Amino acid sequence: MALKGILGFEHGIVQAPLGPDISGPELVAAVANAGGIGLLRCPDWECPDYVREMIRKTKTLTDKPFGMGVVLAFPHELNVKTILEEKVAVLQLYWGECSKELVDDAHSAGVKVVPQFHIDLAPTRKAVDVGVDAIIVQGHEAGGHVSGKDGLFSLLPRVVDLVGECDIPVIAAGGIVDARGYVAALSLGAQGVCLGTRFVATHESYAHPIYKRKLIEYEKTEYTDIFGRARWPGAPHRVLETPFFDDWRSLPSHENEVDQPVIGRSTIHGVGMSPLQEKEIRRFAGTVPNMTTTGDLESMAMYAGQSVGLIKEILPAGEVVKSLVEEAQLLILKKFNNVA
C-alpha cells in the first residue's frame, strides 16, 4: 500500500464534477494547482460555446492539467466534441454507456477517459474492454445522484479483482472526506479517491454560503427520490437531512416539481433560461443553491455524502488536497509500516 499519482497527475486525489455548476473554474484550478485532478461539470444541455469558454477560463487560472465530467443521460454530443477539441486531460463520464467510439475519439485527441460506475460489474467489464484509462467506483454512501445500493467497501475490492492485470487505476468514491478514508480505500486496492462533498465545502466552490454552512451544521443524510423527479426520473440521490426534507420525505410518488410553487431563482452556468435549466426554481427541483441563488434556500436540495459529519470547516481546496496526502502518508507510516 503506497501513495502515488495516477493518470500523469501528481496525486491520486480527484475532485468530483459537482453539479450543476458548483465545480467551476476557480475550484478546478485550485485543485489542479495542488496536484490533484480537478473536474469541471459540463452543463446538462448542449452549449458548446459556453463549454469552450469554461475550459479556457480554467486554463487562465492554472497551467496544470484538468478535466470535465459529462452526464451521459442528458444531451452531450456537441459538448463532448468541444471538450475533445480543447484537449482537456480527462473526460469523466457517468450515468450512461461509455462506447468504444467515444473512447477512441477521446484517445485520438489525447484525452483520457474515466467512467464512473455504481450499479454492478457488467458495465465495468465492458468499459475495460473498450479501453478506458481508469474507473471510478461509487458506493451508496456518496452524495448527489447515486443509483447503486452497494457500499463502497464491498464493491471496491470486487472491481479491483475484476480489473486484475489490466493496469487500469481504480478510483474509490463515496463517503471519503479525510485521510482515513483515503488509506482505507488504498488498502482495498484503489489507486486514488474521488471526493465530492469535501470539495463543496471549500472556499473556491460555487456553492451558496448557506449550503456550505449546512454541510458543517448537519451530520445526517438520507437516500431519497423526492427532488427532480420530472427532470431526471429514476435518479435517486443522497441529501442532507434538513428540516425541509424531514417534513416532505414521504412525498407521494405521483407528485413532482412541475406543479409546485416557485421558491427561488438562480443563474446556472451563466444562463438564466435553457431547455433543461430554468431560472425559476420550483419546490422539489433538484437544483442545489449556487452563489447566485435567491429565495427560500432552506427548502432546496442540498446533496451530501454519508460522511458529511466529519467535515468541520470550510477550507481552501488546495489545503484539502495537501492535507489528504500528508495525513495519509503519516497514517501509513505510523500505523502500517511496522505491521507484521
Side-chain angles (χ1 to χ4, degrees):
M1 180 172 60
L3 295 163
K4 59 181 180 180
I6 56 175
L7 301 173
F9 290 79
E10 184 178 353
H11 303 306
I13 310 295
V14 182
Q15 164 252 304
L18 306 166
D21 63 353
I22 302 303
S23 55
E26 291 77 12
L27 174 58
V28 170
V31 172
N33 286 332
I37 305 176
L39 298 175
L40 295 165
R41 166 65 188 272
C42 186
D44 294 337
W45 61 91
E46 296 280 28
C47 52
D49 290 340
Y50 180 79
V51 169
R52 195 182 309 277
E53 177 185 335
M54 224 186 344
I55 293 171
R56 291 185 176 180
K57 180 177 180 180
T58 308
K59 289 178 179 178
T60 68
L61 301 174
T62 181
D63 59 359
K64 301 290 185 65
F66 60 90
M68 179 172 275
V70 176
V71 181
L72 296 175
F74 298 114
H76 60 270
E77 291 185 2
L78 296 178
N79 292 339
V80 169
K81 182 175 182 292
T82 301
I83 292 168
L84 300 187
E85 289 173 352
E86 290 296 316
K87 299 185 183 299
V88 302
V90 174
L91 174 63
Q92 193 263 349
L93 305 168
Y94 53 125
W95 219 280
E97 181 179 346
C98 178
S99 68
K100 187 177 189 306
E101 179 182 7
L102 179 52
V103 173
D104 289 345
D105 287 346
H107 287 170
S108 294
V111 177
K112 295 180 173 67
V113 181
V114 181
Q116 176 173 290
F117 298 109
H118 43 213
I119 302 177
D120 56 45
L121 298 184
T124 307
R125 189 176 291 109
K126 184 174 181 179
V128 171
D129 292 340
V130 300
V132 301
D133 300 279
I135 290 170
I136 298 176
V137 181
Q138 185 188 55
H140 187 64
E141 304 92 334
H145 293 86
V146 186
S147 63
K149 298 299 178 63
D150 290 337
L152 175 62
F153 284 5
S154 65
L155 184 59
L156 175 58
R158 292 157 57 199
V159 174
V160 169
D161 289 346
L162 175 67
V163 170
E165 302 300 320
C166 297
D167 196 31
I168 297 176
V170 176
I171 301 164
I176 299 174
V177 300
D178 62 14
R180 292 170 294 182
Y182 187 7
V183 172
L186 292 176
S187 72
L188 292 175
Q191 291 179 247
V193 289
C194 181
L195 293 80
T197 310
R198 175 62 272 189
F199 282 111
V200 177
T202 59
H203 294 321
E204 296 88 349
S205 96
Y206 201 54
H208 194 282
I210 289 177
Y211 181 12
K212 295 182 186 183
R213 189 174 73 239
K214 297 299 183 187
L215 295 175
I216 305 300
E217 293 177 356
Y218 290 92
E219 296 190 348
K220 293 183 179 180
T221 65
E222 190 68 45
Y223 188 64
T224 182
D225 75 338
I226 71 168
F227 294 104
R229 287 175 177 172
R231 176 179 171 271
W232 195 351
H237 34 269
R238 184 173 298 282
V239 299
L240 281 178
E241 195 173 310
T242 61
F244 174 82
F245 176 78
D246 281 337
D247 289 341
W248 293 95
R249 64 168 64 238
S250 300
L251 184 72
S253 60
H254 66 276
E255 295 190 27
N256 59 46
E257 67 271 28
V258 173
D259 297 323
Q260 295 294 317
V262 174
I263 62 171
R265 294 177 178 274
S266 186
T267 299
I268 299 168
H269 283 301
V271 179
M273 294 288 289
S274 77
L276 292 173
Q277 294 279 8
E278 294 186 337
K279 184 177 180 180
E280 293 181 339
I281 300 176
R282 295 185 179 275
R283 188 170 60 190
F284 305 126
T287 306
V288 297
N290 67 20
M291 289 288 195
T292 72
T293 305
T294 59
D296 183 10
L297 275 69
E298 303 278 346
S299 299
M300 296 180 187
M302 296 187 184
Y303 302 135
Q306 275 189 334
S307 296
V308 65
L310 297 174
I311 300 174
K312 304 300 184 184
E313 58 183 329
I314 310 300
L315 296 171
E319 186 174 328
V320 171
V321 175
K322 180 181 178 182
S323 63
L324 277 167
V325 174
E326 292 181 350
E327 291 172 17
Q329 290 172 332
L330 187 61
L331 184 59
I332 292 172
L333 182 65
K334 285 187 173 182
K335 297 290 186 181
F336 300 108
N337 273 11
N338 297 321
V339 175

